[in-house]
Amino acid sequence: QDYFIRNPEIMREIQADSHRAVQLSRNKGICTLKNGSKIESFSVGTMRGNRAKIVVIDESPEVKADDLDAVIAPVKNTKRDICHQRGIADYPSKTVSITSACLKSNYFYAMFVQALREFAHGNPSNFACALDYKSAARVGITDMEFFLKEQKKMPEAKFAMEYGSFFVGA
C-alpha cells in the first residue's frame, strides 16, 4: 500500500474491482492490470507448469543453471491467447536476468558476456548493460551517502561487485 501511495500512476493501472489489488503469499504474487494483463511472481521452485511471455529473474546467479533449462525454458514456451485466437504473430518470449555483479566463475558471467557480444554485433534479441551505484544516486533512487557508508564497511572487492558492477575473479 505504501508503494501505491508513493506511485498513484501505477495504482491507476491496477484492476480496482477486486477487494485486493495485489495478492501475495510466501511463494507467489499476482497483480492484475486494468487491461487484463497480469504480473505474477514465483519462487523458481513453484514455477513449474506455469506459462509466461516475459520471465524476469532477480538475483540471477542464485538460480541454478540447470533450472534455466528445466524450469524457465518450458515456462516461456507459450503464445498469448489473443494471438492464438486471432491467428496473429506473437513476439518472442523473453528472459530478463538482473543482479549485482558476481564472480567470473559463475555461469551468469558467461551469459552476460555472450549477451553483450551478441548485442554489440547488432543482434536485436540481446541486450546487456552494467550500471553502478553512481547511476542510482544520479537519478535519485538512493542517496550517495548510503553508498559512501557501505564503501567504508565493505571489503573493496565486495563493494565493487555489489555496487560497482565489477565481475571479479574467483
Side-chain angles (χ1 to χ4, degrees):
Q1 291 299 348
D2 290 341
Y3 181 79
F4 294 138
I5 289 168
R6 291 189 317 270
N7 299 280
E9 61 282 352
I10 293 175
M11 188 61 196
R12 281 192 297 271
E13 296 301 318
I14 294 177
Q15 193 174 56
D17 61 356
S18 66
H19 64 285
R20 287 177 50 197
V22 177
Q23 300 167 7
L24 296 172
S25 69
R26 179 176 165 90
N27 292 314
K28 185 176 182 179
I30 300 174
C31 176
T32 304
L33 304 177
K34 284 185 178 178
N35 68 3
S37 297
K38 289 183 183 178
I39 300 170
E40 297 182 75
S41 64
F42 298 89
S43 63
V44 174
T46 61
M47 263 183 108
R48 285 187 197 279
N50 288 287
R51 296 287 175 253
K53 287 302 290 179
I54 302 171
V55 176
V56 179
I57 305 171
D58 191 17
E59 300 301 343
S60 199
E62 302 298 319
V63 176
K64 295 175 187 164
D66 292 344
D67 285 343
L68 294 176
D69 291 328
V71 178
I72 306 299
V75 165
K76 295 185 332 180
N77 183 23
T78 189
K79 185 185 283 190
R80 291 180 298 156
D81 288 345
I82 193 164
C83 295
H84 178 72
Q85 292 164 356
R86 297 187 180 172
I88 57 177
D90 200 354
Y91 62 83
S93 295
K94 299 173 175 85
T95 301
V96 178
S97 296
I98 56 177
T99 190
S100 302
C102 57
L103 296 176
K104 288 182 179 179
S105 58
N106 188 291
Y107 76 89
F108 179 83
Y109 176 72
M111 287 178 28
F112 175 79
V113 169
Q114 182 60 35
L116 193 58
R117 284 186 183 129
E118 293 287 330
F119 180 61
H121 285 100
N123 183 340
S125 66
N126 284 273
F127 175 77
C129 72
L131 301 172
D132 67 6
Y133 66 98
K134 294 173 191 166
S135 300
R138 184 178 63 250
V139 298
I141 294 172
T142 307
D143 293 330
M144 184 58 88
E145 290 76 29
F146 169 81
F147 297 115
L148 296 175
K149 287 178 186 174
E150 289 290 291
Q151 194 171 28
K152 287 179 183 175
K153 67 182 188 183
M154 291 177 127
E156 185 178 346
K158 185 173 182 182
F159 182 84
M161 282 188 351
E162 186 65 33
Y163 299 115
S165 294
F166 281 92
F167 291 91
V168 298

